[in-house]
Amino acid sequence: MFSSHLPSVNGELKSKAVVNAAADPHSAVTAQQAEQTLMDEAEKAGTPAYFFDPDTAPEDKAALVHADLPQGFYQHKASAAGLVSDADPSPPAAYDLPSPTRATAVVPPSPTRDLQAKSNGHITDEDEKSRWVDRVGWAPRFGEGTMTEAEKNESLLDKTTALEAVLDDKLFGDWYHNSAVIVFACLASWFVALLGGGLGWVFIVMAFCGTYYRTSIRRVRRNFRDDVHREMAKARLETDTESLEWINSFLVKFWPIYAPHICEIIIASVDQILSTSTPAFVDSLRMKFFTLGTKPPRLECVKTYPKADDDIVLMDWKFSFTPGDKMDMTARQLKEKLNPKVVLEIRLGIGLVSKALDVIVEDFAFSGNMRVKVKLQAPFPHIDKVDICFLDKPVIDYVCKPLGGETLGFDINFIPGLESFIIEMIHGTLQPIMYDPNVFPIEIAKIMAGNPVDQAIGIVAVTLHGAQGLKNPDALASSPDPYTIVSLDSREVLGKTKIVKQTANPRWNETIFVIVTSLTATLTLQVFDYNEIRKDKELGTGSFAMDKFQGDPEHENLQLDVMSNGKQRGIIQADMRFFPVLEGLKLEDGKQEPPPESNTGIARFTVEQARDLDGSKSMVGQLNPYAVLLLNGKEIHQSMKLKRTNRPIWPDGSKEFFITDRRSARLGVVIKDDRDMATDPVLGTYQVKLDDMMKFVDEEKEWFQLSGAKTGAIKLLLQWKPVSIPGIIGSSGGYTTPIGVMRFHFQSARDLRNVETMGKSDPYARVLLSGIEKAKTVTFQNNLNPDFDEVVYVPVHSPRERLVLEVMDYQNMTKDRSLGLTEISAADYIKEGDDGEYEVHNHRRDRSEPLRMYGGGPPKGTLNFNVAFYPTLNVVDPDDEEAEKALAETQNGVDTNGTSKASASNGLVKTSGVDHVETANDTENQLGKVDSKLAKQLSTTEEGYETKEVKAVPKMRLTPDELVKHDTGLLIFKLIEGDFARSNILLQVIMDDMAFPSYSFSKATSKHTEFEETGDAIVRELDMSKITLRLVQKEDKKGGEQSAENVYAKLVGDTLQVLQKCLYTPTEFALKGSDGSINKVKISMKYLPINMTLDPSESMSNMGNLRVDVLEGSNLPSADRNGYSDPYCKFDLNGEGVFKTKTQKKTLQPIWNESFEIPIKSRTAANFIVRVMDWDMGDKDDFLGAAKIDLKELEPQLAKDVTLPLDGKSGQIRLRLLFKSSYVTRSRQGSSTFQGTMGTATKVIGAPVKGVGKGASFLRGGLKGSKDLSNGNTGNLVPELTNGSASVIPSIEEPQGVLSGGGNLAGMTTPQRGVSAGESFPTADGGSGVSPGQSLHNRTTSSGSKFAVGAAGAIPGAGVATLTVMSASGFVASAKVQVHVKQVSPKGNKEVYKTKGVKSPSGQIQWENETFRVNCSPETQFQIQVKDDKRFGSDDLGEALFVIDDSGMGSEKAVTCAGGTVVIKSSFAQADAGSINNSPRGPARRSFLSKKDFSRQGTPS
């Protein structure tokens, strides 16, 4: 390739001629000659021309042309300065950073050691002199330093006479001095008139005169003083000034300590300003020396104005700073006196060729009268602002020597007119600022509010779907290549979309996050047409006013007009969502709760200053340092470059950025020395994890040692603002992994407030974390002294958190009202051990705290509870492990392909000392370990700094097979995405017996929604736990139980099996809605074991369903006149009636043969009592006896016959008890004001309970209507095979006709300890559990899987029962015996068969062909009634319960009915699964989490 650039006009004509000659076939000019001529002429004309090989590819030709173009010919578009985030995919910078470790935090030094260089650990005199004396005049000290005894006793230098120096103060000034004068006069008179009288008379006269004089003078003085003070005190405040000698005395002692420090602060601040404002022709500007002198300023007097407004404090302060005044100084003070002085060093030249010139200002003084006005306010800090102004021009004096220094310096004020000119300039500058009537305001309230306007208030997510109909203003231009730039008010570029080629209807589908500091700005979307060579052309701008977020934080499907010159140029399709910074709940008393923990948020990282940088790396000993901030190894900010300082303070060392995953974010700092022409060397580096930095902030640690340097430390600050943004790819949407759980046992509440007009409050207790409700108890209706006795668990994330325990009054229609609250600090229970792990706090001390209201007031009521803390175990997270591995590869200089990177680039200079270089074989950077080598080097070789080594907490690996070893833990589930048949539905997760959802995900606003949202739930017993996924159409704001109509689909499964499939693996679930549609959700799960032993009272073996067979009684006492009783039994559980048997007339040996089931919340705490009563017509029933039933003695799943003696006169009762472990769902307790006092309903087997409505079922002590879930709301899962790493999750199909309200799906029996599926329950004595008068039958569904397979419309364990009535005996011979068979169900007893009426004189009756079949489950019971069939009506001869024989053998059983016996033969046949599979409904549904047969589908991916 050749090119040339010489202009020639004639060359153009010659080029055309040679081309024509080459084209002429008769010419001798060849094509090669013509090409050469063209090249030569182009070279002469200055036009670039290129010669290529004809066989060269077009791409190579284009590359050659681009290579020959001058640098900067193309306008390279800088990438948008979008939101800085840890999710930035750009490669990290080539810095040799140390491994993130907590071992390099500098222990805050004491004030006498701060920033001082040390020699063998001791401060030298040279160090003292260089830091204090050479810069500020003297080191901080107490008083005037070391003084001799004579110097201590020195007095002020007042003008004293010789007589005053001899006479003591006590020899004059008192009353007896005056009396002595009188005595002296009398004695003198006596000597004069010696012969005139006696001495005694003289003494009498003197005593009288002295006494009189003393008494009168004292009285006059006292009265005069009191009168004057009384009159003057009224006007003193307005007219007089008060002396401030007390504060001047304080300043004399405080000034030697404080003045050096304030001078040092001024030097650092001024140096920072001068370094950034140095002119180009000056090498450096710095303040070399600054002192205010040894004499402190004085406050002469103060005058107050008491008649000002009530919210105004007005004072006049007269002050002076006159170091030259020596009248009030002692000789010692004069000896140590140091005048105010400022030395500014101006260095001219460059580097070594430079000269420093000193500008000196000294002996300055000033005095003035200042008015201070304080404006008060009611809220904290109670001072709104302070206005200050000078009432008159202050007096200013100074000496300025710009040239000559100390020796030859010349005071410029000696120049005539210059001093007054400078003073007038000073006054002219200050007059509009703070000379009366102008005031200088100090906004105290705003300063202490701590909300700078430049800090973020939230994040705006701008989702750009695309644009339509973009028009290019150039009519001749082709289709545009559009892209969009996001900015605020068309200023700095905050984000940029991709470029879509050759289309006016681009589809971007990108989301840009923007940090905003105010909602008053306008978000602008500028659309550009991309061009490689020329400048990109703006097609138009769309705008969105962010103040709309104040009304609605989400704006979807926006159609923004693209406007250009007032004309529409297309439409932008976008979504706008605002995510505010999460703040703690602001209580009514003004307190602010800490913000909630979040894994996503905005971080403001600041490098404020550095100290003791290694000056040996500079030839002149002075550095030009600047700081580079890194996030995950990538540069995000660079500070100013300061000149000639080893102690830089950077004014712009802060940067805000968005963090999507706080756990893996790493912050780094690189300190460099600015070299104008050469490569900037690295002075030191530091790297720390963001989580560790937050802990340092809590521990008030700010200084950190630099790695790779002999000396040096930096001061780092971090502000964290949590923001919850669900749906961020690769993040947890704000979820923070808990460090443990706090267990709250709400025992009771007493004497609560009654906020109801009629009736009593309906209280429940709840736990708030950062103002968000985390857990709550069930509601106790109409009760001011509820006994909650409920345990809840709340995950906690930091010891900094505070939890609020609040008792609320439940309201049906309006917002629940608070009955009082108390606060708990997590730090009281969370303690970190020496090994770095959190300790178990299991003392569970009972606490009784008064309940206070928001805003104060006297407390009312008490809450009784106890608290415990259990930490989670440290488990290896595969996601974190991958991040750590990638980090290790980056630090070791190895990329993903295994090739080594350059060890140094971009001028990276390695320094001696403790520079740590890792290799690919370095094993110290393993997961969960601290780089001990680096920590040791940092702690031993970097002299002068103390470090605290932090032990690493070991991590454990958790595999699906090892889950069973950890029974209690925290289940973390992440909803990745969902495909739904309808929009605006909500997915909820419910665990075990919880009455409220453990977590509710965000509402799916579209049919396909990407959630990327994470939640958690406590698992108490993993092997027994159940998990429920529920789709609801609308969320219950009260968090209560959903109605059947609102539940769109539901799935129930074993938590252990679900977790084993979903552990760290995205897995797809399919739920069948009530309308038959399929809904799919993709979920992955994690499990954090909790270091705790579950309390036996919380175990599933302590709760479940109790079946009670009331068999018979014997030897009951007689209560009637006929010598008999009419006994019946009443059963009470925890003070509430749960069941009542039928009355047996006129007998002392009753046989009831009735059964019922009741949910038991806690066997250990249950108070279960049976009372035997005698029924009386028209009178109160008589008490025959009672017995307490001890449920703790029962073995789960094992029937036990018990005979209980009654505590009456005599008698006993025989029962058969069977306890089946299962979770009991909690429900509302008690009854409201307008409801009756109906007893607790039960599931009755036998006769229904009187007064209980049809279909009632019991849910943990509450009366709730049963739900018919046959409409399909429980959903049917279909088998789905997902792509990628997703697992195959089989489906669950719930057959129709499920009777349990909100219970498990069909066939999904609750796991029961010690009994496998298909086994019957033996009795305690090893028998079959069937008595002569009562048959007992209880068994689980005989299915190999815990998730049964059934057809639509079938009953759980459905089958066909065949019954044959064989014979009867023992009845009255004259009776025409007829047997009626009724099927027992919760909806009532339904007659399914009756025999013929047969009359036999012998009493032995035989039936033939009395056989019938009925569809039922193996647990169905039948009521056998024997009647005397008459022409008009019938008489009851007896009745009893009968349970079919499901063994398949068809055995006969004798059923005792009153005085007779009926023999019935029965058998049960399970429904044929094959017939279901072959039915037209299609193939059978597989059970949930069962293995899939891939025989016809091939091997799954």
Side-chain angles (χ1 to χ4, degrees):
M1 179 184 69
F2 306 93
S3 64
S4 181
H5 307 280
L6 292 177
S8 175
V9 177
N10 296 328
E12 182 177 357
L13 299 176
K14 187 176 181 179
S15 299
K16 292 182 179 179
V18 74
V19 170
N20 294 333
D24 187 359
H26 303 288
S27 175
V29 180
T30 64
Q32 289 78 10
Q33 293 175 342
E35 290 178 357
Q36 186 61 42
T37 303
L38 290 175
M39 293 294 298
D40 295 338
E41 294 302 323
E43 183 178 358
K44 296 177 183 179
T47 304
Y50 304 96
F51 176 75
F52 301 102
D53 184 353
D55 298 330
T56 304
E59 294 80 5
D60 297 335
K61 294 178 181 179
L64 291 174
V65 173
H66 280 275
D68 190 61
L69 291 178
Q71 185 175 4
F73 179 79
Y74 283 115
Q75 179 192 0
H76 295 284
K77 281 74 178 180
S79 61
L83 180 68
V84 177
S85 171
D86 58 339
D88 184 7
S90 60
Y95 291 116
D96 186 16
L97 296 175
S99 300
T101 175
R102 296 191 63 196
T104 55
V106 178
V107 177
S110 61
T112 59
R113 302 171 59 193
D114 187 22
L115 297 176
Q116 298 182 14
K118 300 176 179 62
S119 176
N120 296 327
H122 299 283
I123 303 173
T124 63
D125 294 338
E126 291 76 8
D127 299 330
E128 184 83 14
K129 183 175 183 298
S130 63
R131 182 189 175 189
W132 298 111
V133 180
D134 293 347
R135 301 184 72 207
V136 300
W138 76 93
R141 67 194 180 200
F142 294 103
E144 303 300 330
T146 305
M147 293 188 296
T148 63
E149 194 66 28
E151 291 172 338
K152 291 181 181 179
N153 296 328
E154 285 185 356
S155 60
L156 295 178
L157 295 177
D158 13 5
K159 307 301 182 181
T160 59
T161 63
L163 182 60
E164 289 175 340
V166 174
L167 291 179
D168 197 354
D169 290 343
K170 63 183 180 180
L171 297 180
F172 56 88
D174 211 341
W175 64 270
Y176 46 80
H177 302 143
N178 298 329
S179 299
V181 174
I182 298 175
V183 172
F184 176 77
C186 293
L187 290 176
S189 300
W190 176 72
F191 281 109
V192 173
L194 180 60
L195 301 175
L199 183 60
W201 291 103
V202 174
F203 281 114
I204 291 174
V205 173
M206 289 191 305
F208 176 78
C209 292
T211 304
Y212 176 79
Y213 180 75
R214 176 192 176 192
T215 303
S216 61
I217 289 301
R218 290 184 62 183
R219 182 181 296 112
V220 171
R221 287 178 176 177
R222 182 175 64 250
N223 294 339
F224 178 78
R225 182 176 64 250
D226 293 345
D227 293 341
V228 170
H229 286 180
R230 188 179 301 109
E231 295 298 328
M232 295 297 295
K234 298 179 181 179
R236 182 174 300 163
L237 290 177
E238 299 182 8
T239 60
D240 293 353
T241 58
E242 300 180 33
S243 174
L244 294 173
E245 289 302 321
W246 65 272
I247 197 170
N248 292 326
S249 177
F250 168 77
L251 287 175
V252 168
K253 295 185 177 182
F254 183 67
W255 189 253
I257 304 172
Y258 179 67
H261 289 284
I262 192 174
C263 292
E264 186 182 37
I265 294 173
I266 292 174
I267 290 176
S269 301
V270 174
D271 264 348
Q272 166 191 331
I273 298 174
L274 294 177
S275 179
T276 57
S277 306
T278 303
F281 61 88
V282 176
D283 185 53
S284 68
L285 285 175
R286 59 184 299 266
M287 184 173 284
K288 183 178 179 180
F289 184 87
F290 180 84
T291 182
L292 294 175
T294 54
K295 185 177 180 180
R298 283 181 54 84
L299 297 177
E300 303 293 345
C301 58
V302 62
K303 180 180 179 181
T304 59
Y305 297 90
K307 293 185 179 181
D309 295 340
D310 293 340
D311 60 342
I312 298 295
V313 177
L314 192 62
M315 296 177 289
D316 291 342
W317 293 75
K318 185 176 182 179
F319 66 93
S320 65
F321 182 64
T322 55
D325 187 5
K326 306 176 182 178
M327 295 300 296
D328 56 349
M329 301 181 69
T330 65
R332 173 70 178 180
Q333 290 172 338
L334 286 174
K335 183 180 179 181
E336 300 291 338
K337 182 175 181 296
L338 189 66
N339 290 330
K341 184 177 181 181
V342 180
V343 179
L344 179 65
E345 182 185 82
I346 303 176
R347 182 172 292 274
L348 302 176
I350 298 177
L352 296 176
V353 187
S354 62
K355 176 61 178 176
L357 302 178
D358 291 343
V359 176
I360 302 175
V361 179
E362 59 184 353
D363 296 340
F364 46 83
F366 62 91
S367 61
N369 193 12
M370 180 176 290
R371 173 159 292 178
V372 180
K373 180 181 178 181
V374 181
K375 172 73 172 173
L376 305 179
Q377 65 177 15
F380 181 83
H382 312 301
I383 297 179
D384 182 16
K385 65 178 180 177
V386 178
D387 295 334
I388 59 176
C389 68
F390 285 104
L391 296 178
D392 46 28
K393 294 181 179 181
V395 178
I396 302 174
D397 189 19
Y398 65 94
V399 173
C400 180
K401 300 177 182 179
L403 298 173
E406 293 283 355
T407 306
L408 303 176
F410 174 74
D411 186 3
I412 62 173
N413 291 328
F414 290 161
I415 301 176
L418 184 59
E419 180 181 9
S420 60
F421 173 75
I422 296 176
I423 295 297
E424 289 301 323
M425 286 187 61
I426 295 175
H427 290 320
T429 303
L430 294 179
Q431 183 170 2
I433 299 177
M434 55 189 315
Y435 284 4
D436 189 48
N438 302 314
V439 297
F440 181 77
I442 303 176
E443 303 285 350
I444 301 296
K446 294 182 179 179
I447 292 174
M448 298 191 66
N451 293 323
V453 295
D454 62 336
Q455 291 197 5
I457 63 172
I459 291 178
V460 174
V462 183
T463 302
L464 296 168
H465 299 294
Q468 291 289 332
L470 295 179
K471 299 177 182 178
N472 199 321
D474 189 354
L476 301 179
S478 59
S479 299
D481 302 332
Y483 67 92
T484 299
I485 285 178
V486 180
S487 61
L488 294 178
D489 294 328
S490 300
R491 295 196 298 267
E492 181 183 1
V493 177
L494 303 176
K496 176 182 176 181
T497 67
K498 62 185 177 182
I499 300 172
V500 182
K501 296 285 187 178
Q502 296 294 318
T503 179
N505 304 303
R507 302 303 297 173
W508 294 300
N509 291 325
E510 295 184 27
T511 299
I512 298 174
F513 295 96
V514 178
I515 295 178
V516 293
T517 59
S518 173
L519 295 180
T520 59
T522 299
L523 195 67
T524 53
L525 308 177
Q526 297 172 280
V527 184
F528 285 86
D529 176 23
Y530 176 79
N531 191 283
E532 279 191 348
I533 300 177
R534 61 172 173 79
K535 183 180 179 181
D536 295 348
K537 183 185 300 182
E538 183 176 355
L539 302 181
T541 302
S543 61
F544 177 81
M546 290 196 298
D547 56 3
K548 297 179 181 179
F549 287 132
Q550 297 177 353
D552 186 4
E554 295 188 4
H555 297 266
E556 297 181 348
N557 301 321
L558 295 176
Q559 305 289 326
L560 303 178
D561 292 334
V562 179
M563 305 298 295
S564 178
N565 298 325
K567 298 181 180 179
Q568 185 186 24
R569 296 292 181 182
I571 294 176
I572 295 179
Q573 301 166 341
D575 297 339
M576 304 286 181
R577 293 178 295 168
F578 175 64
F579 302 96
V581 170
L582 301 180
E583 297 181 351
L585 178 66
K586 188 173 184 179
L587 306 179
E588 295 183 5
D589 56 1
K591 292 184 179 180
Q592 186 82 20
E593 294 289 334
E597 292 289 333
S598 176
N599 197 44
T600 59
I602 302 171
R604 184 182 181 91
F605 187 39
T606 302
V607 53
E608 185 178 274
Q609 57 180 304
R611 66 188 187 191
D612 296 347
L613 296 180
D614 187 6
S616 63
K617 296 186 178 182
S618 173
M619 298 181 64
V620 297
Q622 296 290 322
L623 303 170
N624 302 324
Y626 66 95
V628 178
L629 301 184
L630 307 176
L631 175 61
N632 291 342
K634 296 181 282 289
E635 292 188 9
I636 59 173
H637 181 67
Q638 179 177 307
S639 70
M640 283 185 176
K641 298 177 180 180
L642 307 183
K643 290 190 175 183
R644 287 189 174 269
T645 176
N646 296 349
R647 302 160 56 84
I649 300 177
W650 292 287
D652 62 338
S654 298
K655 182 65 177 180
E656 280 188 329
F657 43 86
F658 179 47
I659 296 295
T660 61
D661 189 0
R662 196 182 78 186
R663 297 171 302 171
S664 60
R666 293 171 287 111
L667 306 177
V669 179
V670 177
I671 307 298
K672 290 186 175 183
D673 181 27
D674 179 35
R675 303 289 173 87
D676 293 330
M677 304 300 294
T679 303
D680 297 344
V682 174
L683 302 177
T685 59
Y686 183 73
Q687 185 173 221
V688 63
K689 288 185 176 180
L690 194 147
D691 275 346
D692 291 338
M693 188 64 199
M694 294 180 64
K695 293 181 181 179
F696 287 140
V697 172
D698 295 337
E699 298 169 0
E700 298 183 355
K701 294 180 179 179
E702 298 177 338
W703 287 95
F704 303 90
Q705 299 173 7
L706 288 174
S707 175
K710 294 180 180 179
T711 60
I714 53 176
K715 184 178 181 181
L716 303 179
L717 304 175
L718 178 68
Q719 290 179 303
W720 173 255
K721 296 181 179 181
V723 179
S724 179
I725 306 183
I728 300 177
I729 303 300
S731 77
S732 57
Y735 179 79
T736 302
T737 304
I739 62 174
V741 295
M742 295 190 72
R743 177 187 184 272
F744 293 91
H745 181 193
F746 291 102
Q747 298 165 343
S748 61
R750 293 292 180 264
D751 194 23
L752 296 177
R753 286 180 172 85
N754 189 7
V755 294
E756 298 288 349
T757 305
M758 300 180 62
K760 300 177 181 179
S761 300
D762 304 327
Y764 66 89
R766 66 175 183 172
V767 183
L768 299 176
L769 180 60
S770 301
I772 302 175
E773 184 179 277
K774 293 296 184 181
K776 65 180 179 179
T777 68
V778 297
T779 303
F780 281 70
Q781 293 183 335
N782 208 32
N783 195 335
L784 299 181
N785 299 284
D787 293 316
F788 297 115
D789 191 22
E790 192 165 334
V791 175
V792 297
Y793 292 86
V794 176
V796 290
H797 314 83
S798 169
R800 302 186 303 270
E801 293 178 332
R802 296 187 63 85
L803 298 98
V804 175
L805 310 184
E806 187 174 17
V807 179
M808 303 291 292
D809 172 49
Y810 179 83
Q811 297 291 309
N812 286 321
M813 305 299 296
T814 60
K815 184 180 179 180
D816 295 351
R817 296 174 288 188
S818 176
L819 301 180
L821 59 87
T822 184
E823 290 186 358
I824 296 294
S825 175
D828 296 339
Y829 300 91
I830 303 177
K831 305 296 180 183
E832 191 171 357
D834 297 335
D835 56 355
E837 296 186 7
Y838 291 103
E839 299 176 345
V840 175
H841 188 286
N842 195 27
H843 301 302
R844 299 187 187 179
R845 296 188 181 95
D846 291 339
R847 299 179 58 174
S848 182
E849 298 292 338
L851 297 174
R852 59 176 179 84
M853 297 294 291
Y854 290 114
K860 172 68 173 177
T862 56
L863 180 64
N864 304 314
F865 62 95
N866 60 52
V867 187
F869 171 74
Y870 302 98
T872 56
L873 301 182
N874 206 6
V875 178
V876 174
D877 191 332
D879 296 336
D880 295 341
E881 192 175 24
E882 290 295 331
E884 293 285 347
K885 189 177 298 183
L887 172 62
E889 292 177 353
T890 302
Q891 293 179 344
N892 293 336
V894 179
D895 61 13
T896 55
N897 297 325
T899 59
S900 298
K901 297 181 181 179
S903 60
S905 62
N906 296 332
L908 180 61
V909 178
K910 302 243 174 152
T911 59
S912 60
V914 295
D915 196 304
H916 178 66
V917 181
E918 294 182 346
T919 64
N921 297 324
D922 192 352
T923 59
E924 292 296 323
N925 191 26
Q926 295 179 0
L927 186 63
K929 295 184 178 180
V930 172
D931 191 346
S932 59
K933 179 180 178 181
L934 173 64
K936 183 177 180 181
Q937 288 178 329
L938 289 173
S939 61
T940 57
T941 61
E942 299 191 6
E943 298 179 357
Y945 303 104
E946 301 176 11
T947 62
K948 180 180 179 181
E949 186 171 354
V950 180
K951 295 183 178 180
V953 179
K955 294 186 178 182
M956 58 176 292
R957 291 190 179 275
L958 195 62
T959 62
D961 296 334
E962 295 176 342
L963 290 173
V964 293
K965 299 179 182 178
H966 306 281
D967 212 25
T968 305
L970 198 64
L971 180 64
I972 302 175
F973 33 80
K974 181 177 181 180
L975 178 58
I976 302 173
E977 61 181 357
D979 289 294
F980 307 102
R982 61 176 68 173
S983 59
N984 295 320
I985 58 176
L986 197 71
L987 179 65
Q988 297 177 335
V989 180
I990 305 173
M991 300 301 300
D992 302 330
D993 60 334
M994 297 294 105
F996 312 106
S998 299
Y999 190 82
S1000 295
F1001 292 97
S1002 303
K1003 180 175 290 187
T1005 57
S1006 60
K1007 293 184 178 180
H1008 176 77
T1009 304
E1010 293 184 356
F1011 292 92
E1012 297 292 338
E1013 188 175 347
T1014 306
D1016 54 36
I1018 185 72
V1019 178
R1020 289 172 291 181
E1021 291 179 294
L1022 184 59
D1023 57 339
M1024 298 292 138
S1025 175
K1026 289 286 186 182
I1027 183 172
T1028 302
L1029 300 181
R1030 184 173 68 185
L1031 285 175
V1032 296
Q1033 301 179 28
K1034 61 180 179 179
E1035 183 179 9
D1036 184 1
K1037 298 299 183 181
K1038 300 287 186 179
E1041 188 172 343
Q1042 299 285 350
S1043 63
E1045 294 78 10
N1046 191 37
V1047 177
Y1048 179 57
K1050 186 169 71 172
L1051 174 149
V1052 183
D1054 287 339
T1055 304
L1056 177 59
Q1057 296 183 19
V1058 174
L1059 182 57
Q1060 287 175 335
K1061 290 290 184 181
C1062 301
L1063 187 64
Y1064 308 123
T1065 304
T1067 306
E1068 191 170 84
F1069 294 84
L1071 295 85
K1072 186 176 181 180
S1074 57
D1075 54 359
S1077 59
I1078 302 301
N1079 303 270
K1080 300 177 182 179
V1081 292
K1082 183 179 289 187
I1083 300 176
S1084 67
M1085 294 185 180
K1086 301 177 183 178
Y1087 188 70
L1088 293 180
I1090 298 177
N1091 186 13
M1092 69 173 291
T1093 301
L1094 190 67
D1095 192 281
S1097 62
E1098 300 178 60
S1099 174
M1100 196 187 75
S1101 61
N1102 189 50
M1103 64 181 69
N1105 293 319
L1106 176 67
R1107 171 176 171 140
V1108 181
D1109 292 314
V1110 187
L1111 300 179
E1112 59 185 2
S1114 60
N1115 300 324
L1116 299 182
S1118 173
D1120 296 337
R1121 297 178 181 178
N1122 57 9
Y1124 294 97
S1125 296
D1126 302 326
Y1128 68 90
C1129 297
K1130 290 179 61 178
F1131 291 84
D1132 295 339
L1133 178 62
N1134 298 328
E1136 296 185 6
V1138 295
F1139 183 71
K1140 176 181 176 182
T1141 66
K1142 287 186 177 182
T1143 303
Q1144 300 294 325
K1145 299 295 185 64
K1146 299 179 182 180
T1147 178
L1148 301 180
Q1149 311 292 332
I1151 300 177
W1152 288 286
N1153 284 334
E1154 297 185 39
S1155 301
F1156 67 95
E1157 287 188 8
I1158 182 172
I1160 301 297
K1161 175 182 175 182
S1162 173
R1163 284 195 301 141
T1164 58
N1167 183 21
F1168 196 29
I1169 298 176
V1170 57
R1171 291 181 174 87
V1172 181
M1173 308 293 292
D1174 171 61
W1175 178 82
D1176 288 331
M1177 180 180 295
D1179 198 1
K1180 184 179 179 180
D1181 295 347
D1182 298 327
F1183 176 75
L1184 301 181
K1188 183 176 181 179
I1189 306 173
D1190 189 1
L1191 302 183
K1192 292 184 291 185
E1193 302 298 329
L1194 300 180
E1195 291 292 334
Q1197 331 308 335
L1198 188 64
K1200 181 178 181 181
D1201 285 355
V1202 294
T1203 300
L1204 305 175
L1206 302 178
D1207 60 1
K1209 296 180 181 179
S1210 63
Q1212 59 186 11
I1213 183 172
R1214 190 165 70 92
L1215 307 174
R1216 178 176 292 115
L1217 305 176
L1218 174 61
F1219 182 78
K1220 294 179 287 186
S1221 299
S1222 63
Y1223 283 117
V1224 178
T1225 305
R1226 302 174 296 167
S1227 64
R1228 191 175 304 172
Q1229 302 293 309
S1231 58
S1232 65
T1233 305
F1234 303 101
Q1235 290 177 339
T1237 56
M1238 184 181 298
T1240 305
T1242 63
K1243 180 182 177 182
V1244 181
I1245 303 176
V1249 180
K1250 295 182 179 179
V1252 179
K1254 180 179 180 181
S1257 63
F1258 180 78
L1259 293 178
R1260 198 167 186 173
L1263 182 64
K1264 307 184 75 66
S1266 66
K1267 298 179 180 179
D1268 183 9
L1269 301 181
S1270 59
N1271 58 1
N1273 283 358
T1274 52
N1276 298 329
L1277 290 183
V1278 298
E1280 289 293 336
L1281 180 60
T1282 59
N1283 298 326
S1285 59
S1287 300
V1288 178
I1289 293 299
S1291 61
I1292 303 176
E1293 175 172 328
E1294 178 181 359
Q1296 306 298 317
V1298 179
L1299 302 177
S1300 59
N1304 296 334
L1305 294 178
M1308 295 181 194
T1309 59
T1310 303
Q1312 300 168 348
R1313 300 180 186 273
V1315 180
S1316 62
E1319 294 180 346
S1320 61
F1321 299 107
T1323 59
D1325 55 3
S1328 63
V1330 181
S1331 64
Q1334 172 69 25
S1335 62
L1336 176 64
H1337 177 84
N1338 277 281
R1339 70 169 195 169
T1340 58
T1341 306
S1342 54
S1343 170
S1345 171
K1346 293 182 181 178
F1347 302 97
V1349 179
I1355 302 174
V1360 178
T1362 303
L1363 293 88
T1364 302
V1365 183
M1366 306 293 294
S1367 62
S1369 61
F1371 295 100
V1372 180
S1374 60
K1376 188 177 181 180
V1377 179
Q1378 186 181 41
V1379 178
H1380 296 250
V1381 182
K1382 296 183 178 180
Q1383 185 175 356
V1384 179
S1385 70
K1387 294 184 179 180
N1389 299 342
K1390 177 182 178 182
E1391 184 172 297
V1392 295
Y1393 189 78
K1394 65 179 179 180
T1395 66
K1396 299 178 181 179
V1398 178
K1399 186 175 182 180
S1400 174
S1402 63
Q1404 297 292 334
I1405 302 172
Q1406 296 289 335
W1407 281 282
E1408 295 182 359
N1409 299 325
E1410 295 290 352
T1411 301
F1412 62 95
R1413 294 184 178 182
V1414 60
N1415 294 327
C1416 64
S1417 68
E1419 295 182 351
T1420 304
Q1421 297 196 2
F1422 295 89
Q1423 185 179 21
I1424 307 301
Q1425 292 182 338
V1426 182
K1427 297 183 178 181
D1428 181 10
D1429 186 20
K1430 297 182 180 179
R1431 184 179 299 272
F1432 300 101
S1434 60
D1435 295 333
D1436 291 336
L1437 301 179
E1439 64 180 26
L1441 286 178
F1442 172 77
V1443 181
I1444 59 177
D1445 180 11
D1446 61 346
S1447 63
M1449 301 299 294
S1451 59
E1452 297 180 358
K1453 296 182 180 178
V1455 182
T1456 302
C1457 299
T1461 301
V1462 178
V1463 178
I1464 299 177
K1465 180 180 179 181
S1466 64
S1467 64
F1468 180 82
Q1470 190 78 28
D1472 187 5
S1475 62
I1476 299 175
N1477 294 339
N1478 297 329
S1479 66
R1481 297 180 180 271
R1485 304 289 185 181
R1486 291 177 291 105
S1487 62
F1488 182 59
L1489 296 180
S1490 62
K1491 296 182 179 180
K1492 182 175 180 179
D1493 184 7
F1494 296 97
S1495 59
R1496 289 181 293 176
Q1497 300 184 20
T1499 304
S1501 57

